[in-house]
Amino acid sequence: MWGVTLLTLMKMREPSFYIIAAIGVLMGYCVSEVEPLSNQAATDSIISQIVVSESGGASLLTSSFFAFAMSIILAIFVGATEIPRDIDSGMIMIILSKPIKKWEYMLGKYLGILLLCLVFFFGVEAIIYLAHLLKTHEFYGPVLMLRQFYLVMAFLPLVAVTVAFSCFFGDLASMIVTSMYILFSLALGFIPIMVAVLPRGVAAGVESYIFILYYFFPNYVFYFQTFKLIGIVPISLAVYSVAIATIFLSIGAIKLQNRDLSANG
Amino acid sequence: MTEDQLADKMPITKKAGIISVMILAFFAYFISESLLRQAAVSNINPQSVNVEGLLTKLPSSMRDSVNQKIETTRLRNAIRDAKTDADKVQAISSLADFTKEPGQRDWLYASVLKEYPSQPESYRAYAAFLMSNGAVQVSVQDYHRFVSLFDSMTAYNAWIAGMNKLILARVSLDDQIKFLSPLLDETPSYRDYSRLYQEIAKIATSLKKEDLAEQADSLANFCKGLPTIDETVKKRAEAAKAAAQQKGK
């Protein structure tokens, strides 16, 4: 399994990774001084209800949001293509001829892509903090800096989704389906907030149907809210991330187990 | 099925294992999601959100129906939350005027007449059925009986609502003057009543009833020297406030 992870991490040596890393560094430097999301959102907007908390807590920097968005793109590009390309090239048959199970292969791929995304995210975050230090001669507060790294939890379901879809489709179809699915997830994440701000009973009748649809998508909006670093929210967020990742990886494992993995299959 | 394919098939124990893991994961998912949702929603202050601003981003066809739904729900909630009969009647009347459901308006106003026949705020329900041809009817005599329950200040809105209803329903001028005629036997107390007397004068002139027109004109002129209802209410509130302050000292 670790061998597959290391094999996936070899992607970091490819020119395409250098290009996307360079874009990430440049963007990290440019957006380092953008105000936090909580200062940017209009006070009467839905977003402000998420990122502004009256009970205090550390908020997300807009620059971290950019770093996260870039990492999503990387996760989709790499995560959605790795397994289909291994199948197309016959590489998967070579790997599976070793004493490794299919689910271990998939888990190895998952960990590899996850580490790749984390390296990228940490790198861009480091550039953001350094750029802030260079421009203002001040460090961000430790609590604020730590809060940004809680976004790491969002990569667990995100990468699991991309890997799970890649077990079903070819590389291009997988990229498209994953992108659409993540976009839908981001949009549908606002459903609970919308229901809460509308007058009581407006959504009655359709509320249960909306929530059934909502449960089919991970809610990435939870990762953007302002919360205290120690408490029920971060613990729930960790459980939530692991649970979704497990569900998607299990689905992927079942599919991979039953799929014809030959190159012309 | 070849031997390889059979070997490749997932064994039942492995399948059961994955399904058990998934069940546990779903359990953890629903619990953690519920906690996170509650945390996210607890931060929300619905009053601070510009719902109208959000709705403007919707397509117009959808926006109208959502607006209608939101306003209807707000009015229904107001009925449910009403603590006094007055609040309840006002909330029901507002919903009756707003609703677009066929038959709903009449049903709501009929319920007001049935449950709150002597409530001052029920005037909109009385006016809705005044001289109507539907299942529920309010005659001019019934209306006069209702108005006579209240003092001049409270009755004013009922007179105005009744008059507007008859004008909108294009009731004959004779019936309109018949409806307003009890006002000619009263001595007005507020300037606001001049509007009603002017209307009587106008109708009477059209009907060539000079005596009535003259009487209505003179009462309208008399009204001009009187305080308005708003001024009186304001004065009473100030007097009550001063009395309360004096009592406090």
Side-chain angles (χ1 to χ4, degrees), chain A residues 44 102 200 202 214-215, chain B residues 8 33 37 50 69 73 77:
Chain A
D44 60 354
K102 285 178 181 173
R200 183 180 77 232
V202 166
Y214 161 82
Y215 280 121
Chain B
D8 213 31
E33 195 279 337
R37 184 149 43 89
N50 180 7
K69 175 91 176 157
T73 311
N77 292 344

Side-chain angles (χ1 to χ4, degrees), chain B residues 130-131 138-148 178-179:
Chain B
L130 178 61
M131 296 186 79
V138 171
S139 66
V140 170
Q141 288 76 20
D142 292 335
Y143 205 93
H144 287 164
R145 211 171 297 127
F146 168 70
V147 174
S148 67
K178 191 176 145 199
F179 172 72

Side-chain angles (χ1 to χ4, degrees), chain A residues 86-87 89-98 102 105 260-263, chain B residues 8:
Chain A
D86 274 2
I87 295 171
S89 63
M91 175 66 95
I92 194 165
M93 299 308 273
I94 298 169
I95 296 170
L96 291 176
S97 66
K98 309 280 183 242
K102 285 178 181 173
Y105 161 80
D260 179 4
L261 298 175
S262 58
Chain B
D8 213 31

Side-chain angles (χ1 to χ4, degrees), chain A residues 146-226:
Chain A
L146 197 59
R147 163 65 185 95
Q148 312 312 308
F149 290 113
Y150 274 58
L151 261 186
V152 161
M153 288 192 273
F155 290 111
L156 299 181
L158 192 84
V159 175
V161 166
T162 58
V163 170
F165 280 129
S166 74
C167 294
F168 284 83
F169 309 105
D171 53 0
L172 189 64
S174 176
M175 263 199 277
I176 294 168
V177 172
T178 309
S179 308
M180 296 302 292
Y181 185 78
I182 290 170
L183 281 176
F184 270 104
S185 304
L186 286 168
L188 292 173
F190 286 98
I191 283 178
I193 317 293
M194 282 296 288
V195 169
V197 297
L198 289 174
R200 183 180 77 232
V202 166
V206 290
E207 201 173 318
S208 48
Y209 299 108
I210 293 173
F211 269 99
I212 287 172
L213 181 70
Y214 161 82
Y215 280 121
F216 278 98
F217 297 85
N219 189 344
Y220 294 109
V221 172
F222 290 149
Y223 298 93
F224 306 142
Q225 61 181 317
T226 297

Side-chain angles (χ1 to χ4, degrees), chain A residues 64-74:
Chain A
S64 297
F65 185 76
F66 274 101
F68 179 69
M70 290 282 294
S71 308
I72 290 182
I73 295 169
L74 182 71

Side-chain angles (χ1 to χ4, degrees), chain A:
Chain A
M1 187 177 83
W2 298 116
V4 177
T5 304
L6 289 174
L7 205 63
T8 311
L9 281 173
M10 300 282 265
K11 280 265 168 197
M12 281 165 73
R13 289 191 188 166
E14 288 182 11
S16 56
F17 185 80
Y18 292 132
I19 293 169
I20 200 162
I23 295 170
V25 167
L26 191 68
M27 188 169 257
Y29 183 82
C30 293
V31 299
S32 64
E33 294 313 300
V34 181
E35 285 190 330
L37 280 177
S38 52
N39 293 4
Q40 292 205 41
T43 51
D44 60 354
S45 70
I46 284 276
I47 304 239
S48 79
Q49 302 296 316
I50 304 284
V51 294
V52 180
S53 171
E54 282 169 15
S55 56
S59 66
L60 197 66
L61 290 171
T62 309
S63 46
S64 297
F65 185 76
F66 274 101
F68 179 69
M70 290 282 294
S71 308
I72 290 182
I73 295 169
L74 182 71
I76 293 172
F77 271 95
V78 182
T81 56
E82 272 292 293
I83 294 176
R85 280 183 190 170
D86 274 2
I87 295 171
D88 286 344
S89 63
M91 175 66 95
I92 194 165
M93 299 308 273
I94 298 169
I95 296 170
L96 291 176
S97 66
K98 309 280 183 242
I100 182 170
K101 291 173 182 139
K102 285 178 181 173
W103 68 268
E104 286 176 327
Y105 161 80
M106 196 199 65
L107 202 59
K109 281 283 169 197
Y110 170 73
L111 291 174
I113 297 158
L114 186 65
L115 283 173
L116 205 67
C117 290
L118 293 184
V119 167
F120 180 83
F121 179 74
F122 280 103
V124 177
E125 278 295 310
I127 294 296
I128 290 166
Y129 296 160
L130 275 175
H132 179 72
L133 181 66
L134 283 174
K135 288 175 188 172
T136 63
H137 303 288
E138 277 177 12
F139 272 113
Y140 278 124
V143 173
L144 188 69
M145 278 162 72
L146 197 59
R147 163 65 185 95
Q148 312 312 308
F149 290 113
Y150 274 58
L151 261 186
V152 161
M153 288 192 273
F155 290 111
L156 299 181
L158 192 84
V159 175
V161 166
T162 58
V163 170
F165 280 129
S166 74
C167 294
F168 284 83
F169 309 105
D171 53 0
L172 189 64
S174 176
M175 263 199 277
I176 294 168
V177 172
T178 309
S179 308
M180 296 302 292
Y181 185 78
I182 290 170
L183 281 176
F184 270 104
S185 304
L186 286 168
L188 292 173
F190 286 98
I191 283 178
I193 317 293
M194 282 296 288
V195 169
V197 297
L198 289 174
R200 183 180 77 232
V202 166
V206 290
E207 201 173 318
S208 48
Y209 299 108
I210 293 173
F211 269 99
I212 287 172
L213 181 70
Y214 161 82
Y215 280 121
F216 278 98
F217 297 85
N219 189 344
Y220 294 109
V221 172
F222 290 149
Y223 298 93
F224 306 142
Q225 61 181 317
T226 297
F227 53 79
K228 288 180 179 149
L229 296 189
I230 299 165
I232 193 81
V233 176
I235 293 169
S236 303
L237 213 51
V239 173
Y240 183 71
S241 309
V242 173
I244 296 176
T246 308
I247 291 166
F248 276 96
L249 289 176
S250 303
I251 294 168
I254 292 171
K255 178 63 192 172
L256 205 61
Q257 195 69 34
N258 297 307
R259 190 177 165 180
D260 179 4
L261 298 175
S262 58
N264 54 357

